[in-house]
Amino acid sequence: MERDPCNNKNPKRKRGLWLPHEDEKLYNFITRFGVTSWSSLPKQAGLERCGKSCRLRWMNYLNPELKREPISQEEEDLIIALHKKFGNRWARIAESLPGRTDNEIKNYYNCRIKRKNLEHNTTPNTYKPDEKLAEESDYSLTMAVTQPTCYFFNFQSTGVKEEKVEANSGSNMNSMATYDMTNYSDIRISNENNEKNCNYIDFQSATENEILTRLDCKEKIEEVQDVKRLEEYINCLSTLLC
DNA sequence: AAGATGTCCAACCGCCATTGG
DNA sequence: TCCAATGGCGGTTGGACATCT
């Protein structure tokens, strides 16, 4: 059988940047008929591209579900956290950032975050995923905290308690913290003791993706039950952050 | 003003896993 | 069971544009 001619050995196949009329053909075809086979799509759509090229163009550019705005600070924090957890598994990271593609995240990381890290001499130029973190259950979460102040809360009891952990405030280091969520219904993280910049998470009902992408702080936190265990977590977190 | 250099990102390459005949 | 086709992924490249000298 003939190999997929999507390579530089096929001089007839069009390459390079996509032209507007090509985009239009591809967009119109997919929105009208959908995709059953990328390999046969170019011919059906009247395009002189290979299937892989069409797939890439759709996935990375034409798909109407893609976000067009620049990556936000919150998204950047999430990318850093997920990269720490998963390494260069960009597709896996992209699953937690709706509307963002693996290519976009990869480019963003390689251009901006890596450069920032080099400027601040914090993280190595390349690093491997934290295998331990990557193996953790759905009840675990890794978050990036820049100049962090962290609050742990639990709604399940009476009594009010709030604990705070502060990292080296003068440092620009991106720190990581891992939490076991099975025992706490909420963790809130703030960079500036500012409600607007808090992350609020309802661990009881949220999926991991929802947790990872939830960026708004919507409720006041009230109670903590297991203070002793909480303090252990905070001590552990302090070590990680400092 | 113009060439050099740097940055960003779209697109390609090649490998690997899966699928199906 | 084998093997070609296909899809998906991460690494890399090259060109457009911005900034610097």
Side-chain angles (χ1 to χ4, degrees):
Chain A
M1 276 187 256
E2 196 184 354
R3 288 283 296 170
D4 180 356
C6 192
N7 56 42
N8 54 14
K9 291 166 189 160
N10 186 339
K12 290 180 184 174
R13 191 68 68 182
K14 191 174 183 314
R15 294 157 54 82
L17 293 176
W18 279 68
L19 300 172
H21 76 269
E22 292 179 301
D23 281 343
E24 193 180 345
K25 276 186 184 177
L26 182 60
Y27 182 87
N28 287 341
F29 184 87
I30 292 178
T31 51
R32 188 171 174 194
F33 302 108
V35 180
T36 51
S37 164
W38 286 111
S39 59
S40 57
L41 185 147
K43 195 174 178 182
Q44 293 169 340
L47 289 160
E48 294 178 348
R49 298 271 181 172
C50 68
K52 283 178 100 168
S53 182
C54 292
R55 175 185 164 273
L56 202 69
R57 185 62 176 171
W58 174 260
M59 298 287 197
N60 289 337
Y61 189 79
L62 294 176
N63 188 340
E65 292 179 8
L66 296 178
K67 285 186 185 174
R68 302 291 175 186
E69 63 265 32
I71 288 177
S72 67
Q73 184 59 50
E74 287 80 7
E75 286 175 310
E76 182 179 313
D77 291 344
L78 190 52
I79 291 168
I80 292 168
L82 292 167
H83 185 263
K84 176 73 176 178
K85 184 172 179 178
F86 297 115
N88 292 356
R89 292 167 62 192
W90 305 113
R92 175 64 186 84
I93 292 171
E95 287 174 15
S96 297
L97 288 121
R100 303 297 184 187
T101 68
D102 55 349
N103 207 35
E104 185 179 14
I105 293 167
K106 177 173 59 182
N107 283 331
Y108 187 83
Y109 188 90
N110 287 334
C111 287
R112 312 221 183 151
I113 299 174
K114 202 179 271 188
R115 181 158 48 86
K116 274 189 193 175
N117 288 339
L118 285 173
E119 283 171 3
H120 294 121
N121 196 25
T122 53
T123 342
N125 194 17
T126 57
Y127 55 89
K128 294 176 181 176
D130 187 324
E131 299 294 342
K132 191 160 171 266
L133 293 179
E135 288 170 5
E136 284 171 354
S137 73
D138 289 345
Y139 287 100
S140 304
L141 169 66
T142 301
M143 284 184 169
V145 185
T146 54
Q147 300 180 10
T149 299
C150 303
Y151 302 86
F152 290 67
F153 304 94
N154 191 322
F155 288 118
Q156 295 168 354
S157 68
T158 58
V160 178
K161 173 92 176 167
E162 180 174 292
E163 294 285 350
K164 183 163 80 172
V165 176
E166 293 187 62
N168 311 340
S169 57
S171 165
N172 287 320
M173 183 175 70
N174 292 322
S175 306
M176 303 295 301
T178 302
Y179 312 99
D180 178 350
M181 289 185 244
T182 51
N183 292 292
Y184 295 100
S185 60
D186 179 71
I187 293 173
R188 193 163 50 134
I189 297 177
S190 166
N191 288 338
E192 304 168 74
N193 278 351
N194 181 337
E195 288 285 312
K196 208 168 71 177
N197 294 325
C198 287
N199 295 332
Y200 168 78
I201 301 138
D202 177 2
F203 293 154
Q204 303 300 322
S205 60
T207 65
E208 185 178 4
N209 271 4
E210 286 168 343
I211 290 166
L212 289 168
T213 53
R214 182 80 64 81
L215 299 172
D216 294 326
C217 180
K218 294 195 169 81
E219 292 183 32
K220 284 280 184 184
I221 307 303
E222 301 295 338
E223 299 165 354
V224 164
Q225 181 179 37
D226 188 349
V227 175
K228 188 167 173 56
R229 184 153 183 196
L230 177 61
E231 284 171 355
E232 289 173 11
Y233 275 103
I234 291 167
N235 288 337
C236 176
L237 182 60
S238 298
T239 308
L240 285 166
L241 294 177
C242 304

